[in-house]
Amino acid sequence: MDYNVVSVSGGKDSTAVLLLALERNAPNLKAVFADTGNEHPITYDYLEYLDKKVHPITIVKADFTEDLNRRSDYIQNHWLEEGKSQYEIDKAVEALKPTGNPFLDLCLYKGRFPSPRAAFCTKMLKKEVIDQQVFSPLLTEGYDVNSWVGVRADESPRRAALKVSEFAKDLKGSKLWIYRPVLKWTAQDCFNLHKKHGIEPNPLYKMGMSRVGCMPCMQCRKTELLEISKRFPEEFERIKNWEERVSNASKRGSATFFPAKADELGKYPKIDTVISNLKYKQSYEFQEELFEPMCSSVYGLCE
Ligand code: SF4
């Protein structure tokens, strides 16, 4: 017997995939959402809407409690001999107390935020969590699993190179397959399927967001970042607070949400500086993107 698992993000593509799986009467259908802890409240509300109107959604999330405790022990046992002061050690140990928010706890553990070059977030907050909490138990029980993923070829060159269907792994004789049924679809095709089923898209699309996922994603567009700062200033307050906490836990004493060049004093700009620089630049130059255009993960778990 097979299980069909749809990874839902709250975005248009994965919602279209869920609707498609229902249209095709995919047997033993499971919809799964990996909660990063860095989503907008509107997305959490939208997932509740999908859960009631479309199909029940199982929420899974990473837990970094053991990693944080291990890191805390390491700091207490080694930082003094590595040249750190007792004040810095106490500050880091205090910062490393688990918060239960996967995104924040992961960054505290790493002592940094993810970046386009070190995009450990998708892997550790989504892919591995779904693997460990959903796929592996089913495979171990002897079921084959089809993993339905909402990626589209026109999102990025990496995604364009993917196949519609491919074998992923074998566990104790059970097989995991990846299936990307909307790979050749346009964004409009996905919205059309919502309409056909009388399902509203995530309201964030009507608020200037071109994608739905972390709020903000460390790879989001410059224009989108400004839109978020205007519409959802509370999200930036949250990130400001996270920058403070992760800085306290980091060995170099500084961590910024967005990767950027250091200023003339060798300091890396925190999120409020990034936003005010963008607002300043907006007045006379605004053509190129400061960051990578979008998350180009091949896992298809971030839109
Ligand atoms: S949406 Fe962006 S920040 Fe969030 S997990 Fe994906 S790549 Fe990382």
Side-chain angles (χ1 to χ4, degrees):
M1 184 169 62
D2 283 0
Y3 264 85
N4 287 282
V5 179
V6 178
S7 298
V8 176
S9 69
K12 62 186 182 318
D13 302 338
S14 63
T15 302
V17 169
L18 179 58
L19 293 169
L20 208 53
L22 286 163
E23 258 186 13
R24 294 180 185 172
N25 294 319
N28 301 315
L29 182 63
K30 271 180 183 282
V32 178
F33 168 66
D35 183 6
T36 64
N38 187 21
E39 320 283 333
H40 193 277
I42 288 175
T43 294
Y44 291 115
D45 290 347
Y46 184 68
L47 286 158
E48 271 183 38
Y49 163 80
L50 290 181
D51 181 273
K52 288 198 184 81
K53 291 267 289 186
V54 180
H55 191 79
I57 295 175
T58 303
I59 298 177
V60 291
K61 57 172 154 175
D63 180 354
F64 297 103
T65 306
E66 282 180 21
D67 304 282
L68 289 166
N69 291 340
R70 248 194 347 267
R71 176 89 187 128
S72 185
D73 287 348
Y74 178 89
I75 287 171
Q76 292 178 80
N77 291 326
H78 295 91
W79 269 22
L80 212 49
E81 70 204 36
E82 290 173 16
K84 291 289 177 186
S85 68
Q86 192 58 48
Y87 171 73
E88 289 168 310
I89 293 168
D90 293 344
K91 204 164 63 161
V93 168
E94 180 61 28
L96 282 166
K97 288 186 178 150
T99 68
N101 181 302
F103 198 104
L104 176 57
D105 284 352
L106 173 60
C107 297
L108 289 169
Y109 165 59
K110 292 267 185 187
R112 59 166 294 178
F113 289 91
S115 70
R117 286 197 183 162
F120 50 80
C121 45
T122 314
K123 184 168 176 266
M124 297 180 76
L125 296 171
K126 297 186 175 191
K127 183 180 181 289
E128 289 180 354
V129 181
I130 295 177
D131 246 348
Q132 288 160 9
Q133 299 186 27
V134 183
F135 296 154
S136 290
L138 287 173
L139 295 167
T140 309
E141 282 173 41
Y143 300 110
D144 289 336
V145 177
N146 294 314
S147 167
W148 296 52
V149 183
V151 289
R152 290 182 304 102
D154 66 12
E155 293 176 291
S156 72
R158 287 182 77 194
R159 290 187 177 184
L162 296 171
K163 293 181 187 151
V164 170
S165 176
E166 69 182 292
F167 173 70
K169 71 172 179 183
D170 188 304
L171 186 66
K172 297 186 177 172
S174 300
K175 294 180 176 43
L176 174 68
W177 292 85
I178 310 289
Y179 180 41
R180 307 179 180 99
V182 299
L183 190 66
K184 308 285 181 203
W185 288 29
T186 62
Q188 191 55 49
D189 291 334
C190 293
F191 284 126
N192 290 347
L193 196 67
H194 286 64
K195 200 166 178 197
K196 179 178 165 193
H197 287 270
I199 296 300
E200 290 294 328
N202 190 317
L204 287 171
Y205 291 116
K206 293 181 183 161
M207 300 179 183
M209 304 297 118
S210 64
R211 50 168 293 287
V212 168
C214 287
M215 181 65 74
C217 168
M218 49 81 184
Q219 302 195 82
C220 78
R221 290 185 162 104
K222 186 159 64 168
T223 43
E224 195 153 313
L225 194 55
L226 277 171
E227 196 64 40
I228 297 171
S229 75
K230 277 186 239 149
R231 284 186 188 262
F232 311 118
E234 65 284 359
E235 301 302 322
F236 282 96
E237 284 307 310
R238 173 172 57 79
I239 300 293
K240 251 170 80 177
N241 180 281
W242 285 9
E243 283 184 328
E244 207 52 49
R245 292 188 71 140
V246 179
S247 294
N248 289 345
S250 106
K251 197 165 183 194
R252 72 172 183 174
S254 170
T256 59
F257 189 84
F258 288 111
K261 288 187 188 132
D263 64 16
E264 56 282 0
L265 299 172
K267 292 198 167 164
Y268 290 86
K270 300 221 166 184
I271 196 161
D272 41 0
T273 312
V274 171
I275 299 295
S276 29
N277 288 348
L278 281 180
K279 283 182 180 161
Y280 175 69
K281 282 184 181 176
Q282 190 183 27
S283 49
Y284 62 95
E285 61 158 84
F286 214 68
Q287 302 307 319
E288 34 147 348
E289 291 292 329
L290 183 62
F291 307 110
E292 290 283 311
M294 63 173 60
C295 169
S296 55
S297 153
V298 296
Y299 304 129
L301 299 170
C302 304
E303 198 181 49

Short mmCIF file of all heavy atoms in Angstrom, two decimals, residues 227-253:
data_model
loop_
_atom_site.label_atom_id
_atom_site.label_comp_id
_atom_site.label_asym_id
_atom_site.label_seq_id
_atom_site.Cartn_x
_atom_site.Cartn_y
_atom_site.Cartn_z
N GLU A 227 7.92 46.37 1.34
CA GLU A 227 6.47 46.18 1.49
C GLU A 227 6.17 45.58 2.88
O GLU A 227 5.26 46.01 3.57
CB GLU A 227 5.99 45.22 0.38
CG GLU A 227 4.51 45.20 0.14
CD GLU A 227 3.96 46.52 -0.34
OE1 GLU A 227 4.61 47.18 -1.17
OE2 GLU A 227 2.88 46.91 0.14
N ILE A 228 6.99 44.60 3.26
CA ILE A 228 6.79 43.97 4.58
C ILE A 228 7.01 45.01 5.68
O ILE A 228 6.26 45.09 6.65
CB ILE A 228 7.75 42.77 4.78
CG1 ILE A 228 7.48 41.68 3.76
CG2 ILE A 228 7.63 42.20 6.18
CD1 ILE A 228 8.52 40.55 3.74
N SER A 229 8.06 45.84 5.51
CA SER A 229 8.36 46.81 6.56
C SER A 229 7.22 47.82 6.73
O SER A 229 6.96 48.31 7.82
CB SER A 229 9.68 47.53 6.27
OG SER A 229 9.50 48.48 5.25
N LYS A 230 6.53 48.12 5.63
CA LYS A 230 5.41 49.08 5.72
C LYS A 230 4.17 48.43 6.30
O LYS A 230 3.51 48.96 7.18
CB LYS A 230 5.08 49.61 4.32
CG LYS A 230 5.99 50.76 3.89
CD LYS A 230 5.53 51.35 2.56
CE LYS A 230 6.64 51.26 1.54
NZ LYS A 230 6.21 51.10 0.18
N ARG A 231 3.86 47.23 5.77
CA ARG A 231 2.61 46.59 6.17
C ARG A 231 2.69 45.86 7.51
O ARG A 231 1.72 45.79 8.25
CB ARG A 231 2.20 45.56 5.12
CG ARG A 231 1.62 46.17 3.88
CD ARG A 231 1.12 45.05 2.99
NE ARG A 231 0.72 45.54 1.70
CZ ARG A 231 -0.55 45.80 1.38
NH1 ARG A 231 -1.50 45.61 2.25
NH2 ARG A 231 -0.84 46.25 0.18
N PHE A 232 3.84 45.25 7.76
CA PHE A 232 3.95 44.40 8.95
C PHE A 232 5.17 44.79 9.79
O PHE A 232 6.10 43.98 9.98
CB PHE A 232 4.07 42.92 8.53
CG PHE A 232 3.05 42.46 7.53
CD1 PHE A 232 3.44 42.01 6.27
CD2 PHE A 232 1.70 42.48 7.85
CE1 PHE A 232 2.50 41.58 5.35
CE2 PHE A 232 0.74 42.05 6.92
CZ PHE A 232 1.15 41.61 5.67
N PRO A 233 5.19 46.02 10.33
CA PRO A 233 6.37 46.44 11.10
C PRO A 233 6.64 45.55 12.31
O PRO A 233 7.78 45.40 12.74
CB PRO A 233 6.01 47.87 11.53
CG PRO A 233 4.55 48.02 11.31
CD PRO A 233 4.16 47.05 10.24
N GLU A 234 5.58 44.90 12.82
CA GLU A 234 5.78 44.03 14.00
C GLU A 234 6.69 42.84 13.67
O GLU A 234 7.38 42.32 14.54
CB GLU A 234 4.42 43.57 14.57
CG GLU A 234 3.58 42.67 13.68
CD GLU A 234 2.85 43.39 12.53
OE1 GLU A 234 2.96 44.62 12.40
OE2 GLU A 234 2.17 42.69 11.74
N GLU A 235 6.67 42.41 12.39
CA GLU A 235 7.55 41.29 12.02
C GLU A 235 9.02 41.73 12.10
O GLU A 235 9.89 40.96 12.46
CB GLU A 235 7.24 40.78 10.60
CG GLU A 235 5.81 40.29 10.39
CD GLU A 235 5.42 39.16 11.34
OE1 GLU A 235 6.26 38.30 11.64
OE2 GLU A 235 4.26 39.17 11.81
N PHE A 236 9.27 43.00 11.76
CA PHE A 236 10.65 43.49 11.84
C PHE A 236 11.09 43.71 13.29
O PHE A 236 12.26 43.53 13.61
CB PHE A 236 10.81 44.75 10.99
CG PHE A 236 10.91 44.40 9.54
CD1 PHE A 236 9.81 44.43 8.74
CD2 PHE A 236 12.11 43.93 9.02
CE1 PHE A 236 9.88 44.04 7.41
CE2 PHE A 236 12.20 43.53 7.71
CZ PHE A 236 11.08 43.59 6.89
N GLU A 237 10.12 44.08 14.13
CA GLU A 237 10.45 44.20 15.56
C GLU A 237 10.88 42.84 16.09
O GLU A 237 11.83 42.73 16.87
CB GLU A 237 9.23 44.72 16.35
CG GLU A 237 8.98 46.20 16.17
CD GLU A 237 10.22 47.05 16.46
OE1 GLU A 237 10.85 46.86 17.51
OE2 GLU A 237 10.58 47.88 15.60
N ARG A 238 10.16 41.81 15.65
CA ARG A 238 10.50 40.45 16.09
C ARG A 238 11.91 40.08 15.61
O ARG A 238 12.73 39.56 16.38
CB ARG A 238 9.46 39.45 15.53
CG ARG A 238 9.78 37.99 15.76
CD ARG A 238 8.63 37.08 15.36
NE ARG A 238 8.20 37.24 13.99
CZ ARG A 238 8.83 36.71 12.94
NH1 ARG A 238 9.93 35.99 13.13
NH2 ARG A 238 8.36 36.89 11.72
N ILE A 239 12.23 40.38 14.35
CA ILE A 239 13.55 40.03 13.83
C ILE A 239 14.65 40.84 14.54
O ILE A 239 15.73 40.33 14.82
CB ILE A 239 13.62 40.25 12.29
CG1 ILE A 239 12.59 39.38 11.57
CG2 ILE A 239 15.04 39.97 11.77
CD1 ILE A 239 12.83 37.88 11.63
N LYS A 240 14.34 42.10 14.86
CA LYS A 240 15.31 42.93 15.61
C LYS A 240 15.65 42.27 16.94
O LYS A 240 16.81 42.18 17.35
CB LYS A 240 14.69 44.32 15.88
CG LYS A 240 15.32 45.42 15.07
CD LYS A 240 14.53 46.68 15.19
CE LYS A 240 14.81 47.44 16.47
NZ LYS A 240 14.07 48.71 16.53
N ASN A 241 14.61 41.80 17.59
CA ASN A 241 14.80 41.13 18.87
C ASN A 241 15.61 39.84 18.69
O ASN A 241 16.50 39.52 19.47
CB ASN A 241 13.39 40.85 19.44
CG ASN A 241 13.43 40.15 20.76
OD1 ASN A 241 13.63 38.93 20.80
ND2 ASN A 241 13.27 40.90 21.83
N TRP A 242 15.33 39.10 17.62
CA TRP A 242 16.07 37.87 17.34
C TRP A 242 17.54 38.18 17.05
O TRP A 242 18.42 37.43 17.47
CB TRP A 242 15.47 37.14 16.12
CG TRP A 242 14.17 36.44 16.40
CD1 TRP A 242 13.40 36.52 17.54
CD2 TRP A 242 13.46 35.54 15.54
NE1 TRP A 242 12.28 35.75 17.43
CE2 TRP A 242 12.29 35.14 16.21
CE3 TRP A 242 13.70 35.05 14.26
CZ2 TRP A 242 11.36 34.25 15.63
CZ3 TRP A 242 12.79 34.15 13.69
CH2 TRP A 242 11.63 33.77 14.38
N GLU A 243 17.80 39.28 16.34
CA GLU A 243 19.20 39.63 16.05
C GLU A 243 19.97 39.85 17.35
O GLU A 243 21.13 39.47 17.49
CB GLU A 243 19.26 40.89 15.18
CG GLU A 243 18.93 40.65 13.71
CD GLU A 243 19.07 41.89 12.85
OE1 GLU A 243 18.83 43.00 13.35
OE2 GLU A 243 19.42 41.75 11.66
N GLU A 244 19.30 40.47 18.32
CA GLU A 244 19.91 40.73 19.62
C GLU A 244 20.25 39.41 20.31
O GLU A 244 21.37 39.21 20.79
CB GLU A 244 18.89 41.54 20.46
CG GLU A 244 19.48 42.43 21.52
CD GLU A 244 20.54 43.35 20.97
OE1 GLU A 244 20.29 44.01 19.94
OE2 GLU A 244 21.63 43.39 21.57
N ARG A 245 19.28 38.53 20.35
CA ARG A 245 19.47 37.25 21.04
C ARG A 245 20.55 36.39 20.37
O ARG A 245 21.39 35.81 21.05
CB ARG A 245 18.16 36.44 21.06
CG ARG A 245 17.09 37.07 21.92
CD ARG A 245 15.92 36.15 22.06
NE ARG A 245 16.27 35.01 22.90
CZ ARG A 245 15.46 34.48 23.80
NH1 ARG A 245 14.27 35.00 23.97
NH2 ARG A 245 15.84 33.45 24.51
N VAL A 246 20.49 36.33 19.03
CA VAL A 246 21.47 35.49 18.32
C VAL A 246 22.87 36.10 18.44
O VAL A 246 23.87 35.39 18.57
CB VAL A 246 21.05 35.25 16.85
CG1 VAL A 246 22.08 34.41 16.11
CG2 VAL A 246 19.68 34.56 16.78
N SER A 247 22.95 37.43 18.46
CA SER A 247 24.25 38.09 18.67
C SER A 247 24.84 37.67 20.02
O SER A 247 26.03 37.38 20.13
CB SER A 247 24.10 39.61 18.66
OG SER A 247 23.72 40.04 17.38
N ASN A 248 23.99 37.65 21.05
CA ASN A 248 24.46 37.26 22.38
C ASN A 248 24.97 35.82 22.41
O ASN A 248 25.88 35.50 23.17
CB ASN A 248 23.34 37.42 23.42
CG ASN A 248 23.05 38.88 23.69
OD1 ASN A 248 23.84 39.77 23.35
ND2 ASN A 248 21.91 39.16 24.30
N ALA A 249 24.37 34.97 21.58
CA ALA A 249 24.77 33.55 21.57
C ALA A 249 25.95 33.28 20.64
O ALA A 249 26.51 32.20 20.66
CB ALA A 249 23.58 32.68 21.13
N SER A 250 26.29 34.28 19.82
CA SER A 250 27.33 34.01 18.82
C SER A 250 28.73 34.35 19.34
O SER A 250 28.89 35.29 20.13
CB SER A 250 27.02 34.81 17.54
OG SER A 250 27.87 35.89 17.42
N LYS A 251 29.69 33.62 18.86
CA LYS A 251 31.05 33.81 19.37
C LYS A 251 31.61 35.18 19.00
O LYS A 251 32.36 35.80 19.76
CB LYS A 251 31.97 32.70 18.85
CG LYS A 251 33.23 32.62 19.66
CD LYS A 251 33.97 31.35 19.43
CE LYS A 251 35.19 31.32 20.34
NZ LYS A 251 36.12 30.30 19.96
N ARG A 252 31.25 35.67 17.82
CA ARG A 252 31.79 36.97 17.44
C ARG A 252 30.96 38.13 18.01
O ARG A 252 31.26 39.30 17.79
CB ARG A 252 31.96 37.09 15.93
CG ARG A 252 30.70 37.22 15.15
CD ARG A 252 31.00 37.51 13.69
NE ARG A 252 29.74 37.71 13.00
CZ ARG A 252 29.64 38.10 11.77
NH1 ARG A 252 30.70 38.33 11.06
NH2 ARG A 252 28.46 38.26 11.20
N GLY A 253 29.86 37.79 18.72
CA GLY A 253 29.07 38.81 19.41
C GLY A 253 28.18 39.61 18.48
O GLY A 253 27.62 40.64 18.87
#
